[in-house]
Amino acid sequence: MKTLYILPALLLTALWGFSQTTADVVRFSQSTNFGTARSTAMSGAFGALGGDLSTFSTNPAGIGVFRKSEVSITPSLSFSNTKSGNRSASDNSFQIGDLGAVIAFYSPDFDWRGFNFGINYSGMNNFNLKTDQYIANSPTSFSQAIAQQANYDYAADFTPGIMETLASQSNVILMDEATGFYEPVIIGANQWKNIKEDGYQGEYAFTFGTNYKDKLYLGLTIGLQSIYYKSKSVYAETPDQDNPYDLDYFDYLQQLKTTGVGTNVKFGVIYRPIPELRLGAAIHSPTYYSMTDRYYSDMYALYLSPDAEGYYDYLSDPYAYKYDYDMRTPWRALLSVATVLNQKAILSVDYEYIDYASAKLSNGDGHYDFYDSADGPGTNDDIKRYLRSTHNIRIGAEYRYNSLFSLRGGYSCYASPYKHDKNLLKLQTVSAGFGLNFGAFYCDAAYLYKFTKDTTLFYSYLDPEDASFDVISEPIRNKYNNHEARITLGIRF
């Protein structure tokens, strides 16, 4: 059976049904993990600085910089907005951005001056988002795409797929008894899709580090990550042209819940050749996840006139499944440089390399290996075909006016993970903030603005033999903006 796949320069919103795709791999591999408000205000450019709990998940050597024990909490407020065509949708959420503690044992009388241990939770992703999409007077219909898919399967003597079964049960496609082929109930249509996403991805970092002569800092993190992601979408169509079947509308409901638990290892080093210069490097192993998808869908159609048996509406049997599999996210490397001038000004730059093409799915139910087969393309081969390695940059600055007050700012750019369109899901951030240091107690505040964009399709049927039978929806350009505020409250002892 032919399946939907990512076209060059287009990330498809698949209506054929949720499955494990390259979009899922990107969603759970791409992260702006900024942690505390101080790190957030500097757009996460902390790889060579250390002394901040957020570095446990970026460069573990940062734990060696601590000379005092510390505990802090960072609540986060997020305000997201999606603009799709001329429609907008907003969603607000509250999450814990960072929460942790470090126990520091520092003694200036020895060459190895510190042995520190810390535990920290850091929010990696906030999935809360709403999307409202609309296309008026579309020349094609989802019903038309399903009918084409069903007829191709029928002609090739394949068993009808889930989408064709739902559409047939709900009378979204109708069998022509004379020809033996399915017919769409709509050709031209007005189309809506509403999507509500919720959830988070976070990491519990267990970090150990040491300090040699206040020049060399080493650190090791064992990371335990968790994923909780929910998505509910409703797609609907109404006829906008001739309506020979007297259809009022039909809709298609999909719900997905994905949960996962994974582990990784990180190793980092910071070297301070002179007091004004710090160099950092870190390597992150892939995160090895055990994943579970729970999926539900149904289809419903309402007609203006009853059929021979007096029915106006038709609801398909629900389709639901639970699917277990493993996921390996990409490995990544980090190089950092920072300068500290007169203990007043800081300028820091992080370079990050991520090889998205190294991600992999495995151990699917029924021993499925996610590679190409007679049934269609496999996700692992799609990862190689469509994803690439990326180079990301984070830049941050801080100026300490006095021992009490500091002002901060930053910028970061995360390159697109897709080969065919370097602007697809390219993510940029701008940030600012300030800090108040009262000695044993400190308070930091940060504001972060994220923005990215992509292009999606409602559906796409590509005929394997004749392109004149292709049915592709109009592309929708989406812009995603997120405003985030964080406050860190901490105590040193």
Side-chain angles (χ1 to χ4, degrees):
M1 180 188 297
K2 183 178 178 180
T3 57
L4 192 65
Y5 57 91
I6 296 180
L7 295 170
L10 288 176
L11 177 63
L12 302 181
T13 303
L15 281 170
W16 302 110
F18 282 110
S19 60
Q20 297 73 38
T21 68
T22 54
D24 298 315
V25 172
V26 170
R27 177 187 298 115
F28 300 129
S29 300
Q30 198 175 43
S31 169
T32 53
N33 180 20
F34 294 151
T36 65
R38 184 185 181 196
S39 178
T40 299
M42 297 173 66
S43 283
F46 247 80
L49 294 173
D52 189 274
L53 293 177
S54 63
T55 62
F56 295 4
S57 292
T58 53
N59 185 350
I63 194 174
V65 178
F66 284 91
R67 296 187 179 186
K68 293 183 178 181
S69 298
E70 187 172 313
V71 60
S72 72
I73 183 172
T74 305
S76 172
L77 282 173
S78 177
F79 307 90
S80 64
N81 177 269
T82 304
K83 185 175 182 181
S84 302
N86 59 359
R87 293 202 168 204
S88 295
S90 300
D91 195 19
N92 305 327
S93 61
F94 170 85
Q95 292 187 357
I96 296 296
D98 199 89
L99 173 64
V102 58
I103 303 299
F105 300 94
Y106 180 79
S107 176
D109 300 327
F110 300 93
D111 288 346
W112 291 99
R113 296 179 179 177
F115 292 91
N116 302 338
F117 169 73
I119 301 176
N120 190 60
Y121 171 82
S122 188
M124 300 175 61
N125 277 312
N126 182 340
F127 298 124
N128 291 273
L129 189 69
K130 288 182 180 179
T131 305
D132 182 9
Q133 299 172 324
Y134 175 70
I135 295 176
N137 309 120
S138 169
T140 64
S141 164
F142 187 33
S143 172
Q144 186 182 7
I146 301 171
Q148 291 287 77
Q149 177 78 24
N151 291 333
Y152 171 67
D153 284 351
Y154 176 83
D157 198 26
F158 285 110
T159 302
I162 299 303
M163 182 56 59
E164 299 95 300
T165 300
L166 295 178
S168 177
Q169 290 176 347
S170 59
N171 280 8
V172 170
I173 58 174
L174 301 173
M175 172 67 74
D176 187 331
E177 300 295 341
T179 64
F181 287 94
Y182 284 101
E183 297 289 340
V185 295
I186 301 179
I187 298 298
N190 298 307
Q191 303 170 332
W192 293 264
K193 189 176 185 182
N194 295 311
I195 307 169
K196 178 66 173 73
E197 298 172 88
D198 296 286
Y200 60 87
Q201 183 176 5
E203 178 171 82
Y204 299 87
F206 301 84
T207 305
F208 309 83
T210 186
N211 167 3
Y212 181 73
K213 292 186 176 181
D214 290 327
K215 282 185 172 293
L216 179 66
Y217 307 89
L218 303 174
L220 174 70
T221 289
I222 298 174
L224 299 179
Q225 294 189 5
S226 61
I227 290 173
Y228 180 81
Y229 172 77
K230 291 197 308 180
S231 176
K232 179 181 179 180
S233 70
V234 178
Y235 175 83
E237 286 189 359
T238 60
D240 78 323
Q241 299 178 14
D242 293 337
N243 187 10
Y245 296 103
D246 211 17
L247 177 75
D248 188 10
Y249 75 93
F250 76 83
D251 64 36
Y252 176 40
L253 169 67
Q254 296 179 102
Q255 297 182 78
L256 172 70
K257 183 170 76 170
T258 298
T259 55
V261 177
T263 185
N264 61 57
V265 176
K266 305 179 182 74
F267 175 76
V269 57
I270 295 175
Y271 180 60
R272 191 173 68 162
I274 58 176
E276 294 80 15
L277 180 65
R278 297 186 183 186
L279 306 174
I283 187 78
H284 298 190
S285 79
T287 302
Y288 295 86
Y289 275 104
S290 294
M291 305 287 289
T292 298
D293 285 354
R294 291 176 173 84
Y295 173 72
Y296 173 93
S297 66
D298 64 41
M299 194 169 285
Y300 173 82
L302 177 65
Y303 286 80
L304 297 172
S305 302
D307 62 11
E309 297 179 356
Y311 291 106
Y312 284 90
D313 59 344
Y314 306 85
L315 177 65
S316 70
D317 293 333
Y319 173 66
Y321 71 78
K322 174 179 174 289
Y323 193 82
D324 297 319
Y325 59 100
D326 293 336
M327 178 178 68
R328 184 188 72 194
T329 64
W331 68 274
R332 60 189 69 199
L334 179 71
L335 295 175
S336 309
V337 60
T339 181
V340 181
L341 303 176
N342 298 321
Q343 297 300 312
K344 292 184 70 70
I346 297 175
L347 179 63
S348 180
V349 178
D350 284 1
Y351 162 79
E352 184 180 49
Y353 174 87
I354 305 176
D355 183 16
Y356 287 94
S358 69
K360 183 181 179 181
L361 303 181
S362 61
N363 299 323
D365 285 351
H367 305 288
Y368 180 53
D369 63 4
F370 298 93
Y371 285 99
D372 290 352
S373 68
D375 293 328
T379 304
N380 286 333
D381 291 297
D382 281 347
I383 288 171
K384 301 294 184 183
R385 278 189 283 261
Y386 303 119
L387 301 185
R388 62 170 185 152
S389 59
T390 62
H391 309 278
N392 306 324
I393 294 292
R394 297 188 288 265
I395 302 172
E398 177 182 86
Y399 184 76
R400 299 173 183 170
Y401 282 91
N402 49 48
S403 61
L404 175 66
F405 182 76
S406 298
L407 191 63
R408 302 166 184 137
Y411 168 81
S412 67
C413 180
Y414 294 78
S416 168
Y418 291 96
K419 289 181 180 179
H420 302 286
D421 187 346
K422 294 183 179 180
N423 291 316
L424 183 63
L425 290 183
K426 175 183 177 181
L427 176 65
Q428 299 180 75
T429 75
V430 178
S431 58
F434 63 88
L436 298 173
N437 184 0
F438 301 98
F441 171 77
Y442 65 91
C443 174
D444 298 318
Y447 164 77
L448 179 72
Y449 176 63
K450 302 179 188 178
F451 52 100
T452 186
K453 60 184 178 180
D454 67 12
T455 303
T456 56
L457 302 176
F458 285 152
Y459 50 83
S460 174
Y461 170 78
L462 305 178
D463 193 276
E465 298 177 356
D466 189 345
S468 65
F469 291 103
D470 291 351
V471 182
I472 303 175
S473 71
E474 297 180 29
I476 298 179
R477 292 175 175 81
N478 309 290
K479 294 182 179 179
Y480 306 95
N481 301 300
N482 180 264
H483 302 268
E484 189 172 302
R486 295 191 178 195
I487 294 179
T488 297
L489 303 176
I491 300 175
R492 302 183 182 97
F493 54 94

